[in-house]
Amino acid sequence: MEELKGLNTKWASTLMYQHLLAAADRYGLERLLKLCESNLCEDVAINTIATTLALAEQHHCLWLKSVCLKFVALPENLRAVMQSDGFDYLKESCPDVLTELLEHVARNNEHSLALCPHPNATILDGSDVHGRRVKPRL
């Protein structure tokens, strides 16, 4: 409880559910594990997502892991998560998850390229969607 003092309510509840999930897995309390997994899926946040993802990997929570990977792979979230303290922990404790994260990022990029209205469109920096330099027609 000392660890929870001074934290905002959302962050404190996330931390509590993380600890409960680990205990539920350790003692084989499947119903409690699913409850914690569900609550952690609902409260994903930049400052806790990396540790939650590591926890999901370590305790074989596939649904939670999937939610975390999708959240982190979003371009607007990726940089912030990579700068968090939890990301260093994720790199050290679960390096294989980084490979999965790269696959999710690649899929997001492929999806966004597929949505491009003109496949040979020129991007603002003067290159096409494949990264090749394109000379403008005069």
Side-chain angles (χ1 to χ4, degrees):
M1 289 308 281
E2 290 297 318
E3 205 174 322
L4 298 178
K5 288 183 179 177
L7 300 177
N8 69 32
T9 336
K10 185 176 180 181
W11 199 0
S13 67
T14 298
L15 189 60
M16 181 189 66
Y17 282 121
Q18 288 175 338
H19 287 287
L20 272 174
L21 185 136
D25 185 44
R26 181 176 182 181
Y27 295 108
L29 303 172
E30 196 64 31
R31 189 169 171 204
L32 179 60
L33 184 119
K34 293 298 179 193
L35 177 70
C36 294
E37 184 178 16
S38 174
N39 280 297
L40 288 169
C41 285
E42 292 175 12
D43 286 332
V44 293
I46 296 287
N47 56 353
T48 57
I49 194 73
T51 53
T52 301
L53 179 54
L55 194 68
E57 174 69 9
Q58 293 163 348
H59 296 282
H60 313 290
C61 299
L62 300 179
W63 179 39
L64 179 59
K65 182 178 174 181
S66 174
V67 168
C68 291
L69 285 171
K70 287 176 186 172
F71 180 83
V72 175
L74 294 173
E76 61 269 18
N77 297 337
L78 184 60
R79 184 173 305 277
V81 171
M82 288 176 69
Q83 294 172 347
S84 71
D85 295 333
F87 192 75
D88 293 332
Y89 173 73
L90 179 65
K91 286 191 300 189
E92 292 171 16
S93 63
C94 306
D96 292 340
V97 173
L98 297 181
T99 304
E100 291 181 59
L101 177 59
L102 286 174
E103 290 170 0
H104 274 272
V105 169
R107 263 187 254 130
N108 281 353
N109 286 342
E110 287 172 0
H111 181 69
S112 64
L113 287 177
L115 295 177
C116 184
H118 303 287
N120 295 324
T122 302
I123 300 179
L124 294 177
D125 69 351
S127 62
D128 68 4
V129 292
H130 303 289
R132 299 178 295 218
R133 296 302 252 161
V134 178
K135 289 183 181 180
R137 291 187 176 181
L138 300 174

